[in-house]
Amino acid sequence: MLLKMAYVQQQLGHYPAALLYLSLAQARQPRVRTWRQMTALATQQRLVGYPATWQQDLRVQAQRYYYPGLQVLLGAAVVIAVWLLWRRSPRGAWLGYAAYVAMVGTYLHFLHPKPVGLVARPGAALMAGPSAGAAWLSTAALGDRLPVLGHQDIWYRVEWQRQVAFVRGADLLVVE
């Protein structure tokens, strides 16, 4: 349904709404085809934050299989723990299990999907700090995609051209 809504909005010429629906569809079910549609639309509008590289295609594939992979790893952890308890295994087996749980923790920490924000208002100011009195860095275009690094008061800390910037929460739609 989200992809249909994106198609309708794109046909009406409402590219920010189309990008929002495509981003929501991408967050729900990551697909390379959806990503490429977002990239094509963003390229037409000269927006930033939509890389069209093989590395990004690989990231999309990793996001696609993140949750099913996590379910398998956690299910295996439960089965192994029950089996080790049932067999009354020696300490060495438990150390191996601890290493497995550490690997699952690494998987959770480094491969989880990162939130992104879509600029929702034209001319959104990107500031050097989380205040209106901070230095102005740039202006973001409607529909720009910014990786969200954190949240502070009414400000989102985002990545802009490989540096940290702050944008008001009202100017950004966060897609997780």
Side-chain angles (χ1 to χ4, degrees), residues 63-95:
Q63 288 173 354
R64 180 177 183 180
Y65 297 110
Y66 175 76
Y67 289 112
L70 182 60
Q71 289 174 340
V72 168
L73 290 173
L74 292 175
V78 170
V79 168
I80 292 169
V82 168
W83 184 75
L84 288 174
L85 286 171
W86 183 62
R87 299 276 316 227
R88 294 189 183 113
S89 299
R91 181 180 288 186
W94 284 101
L95 290 174

Side-chain angles (χ1 to χ4, degrees), residues 91-128:
R91 181 180 288 186
W94 284 101
L95 290 174
Y97 179 72
Y100 178 78
V101 170
M103 183 206 57
V104 172
T106 303
Y107 180 87
L108 278 168
H109 181 70
F110 289 110
L111 295 178
H112 71 281
K114 310 274 190 289
V116 295
L118 296 175
V119 176
R121 293 189 184 169
L126 296 167
M127 308 298 280

Side-chain angles (χ1 to χ4, degrees), residues 11-169:
Q11 294 304 312
L12 292 173
H14 302 147
Y15 73 90
L19 284 171
L20 175 63
Y21 286 124
L22 286 170
S23 295
L24 291 171
Q26 185 70 8
R28 184 165 170 84
Q29 254 185 343
R31 302 263 191 246
V32 173
R33 180 181 234 176
T34 306
W35 179 257
R36 289 186 180 155
Q37 179 64 29
M38 288 171 51
T39 303
L41 186 57
T43 302
Q44 288 174 349
Q45 302 300 323
R46 294 185 180 98
L47 300 175
V48 298
Y50 300 88
T53 62
W54 66 270
Q55 293 98 337
Q56 183 61 32
D57 288 349
L58 191 61
R59 278 188 209 100
V60 169
Q61 288 295 351
Q63 288 173 354
R64 180 177 183 180
Y65 297 110
Y66 175 76
Y67 289 112
L70 182 60
Q71 289 174 340
V72 168
L73 290 173
L74 292 175
V78 170
V79 168
I80 292 169
V82 168
W83 184 75
L84 288 174
L85 286 171
W86 183 62
R87 299 276 316 227
R88 294 189 183 113
S89 299
R91 181 180 288 186
W94 284 101
L95 290 174
Y97 179 72
Y100 178 78
V101 170
M103 183 206 57
V104 172
T106 303
Y107 180 87
L108 278 168
H109 181 70
F110 289 110
L111 295 178
H112 71 281
K114 310 274 190 289
V116 295
L118 296 175
V119 176
R121 293 189 184 169
L126 296 167
M127 308 298 280
S131 75
W136 175 82
L137 296 175
S138 184
T139 303
L142 182 65
D144 278 347
R145 185 175 177 270
L146 308 170
V148 175
L149 305 174
H151 187 268
Q152 187 173 348
D153 197 21
I154 64 167
W155 298 88
Y156 281 104
R157 189 172 66 239
V158 297
E159 183 179 335
W160 175 258
Q161 296 179 347
R162 297 191 178 131
Q163 64 181 0
V164 174
F166 291 84
V167 64
R168 286 185 185 263

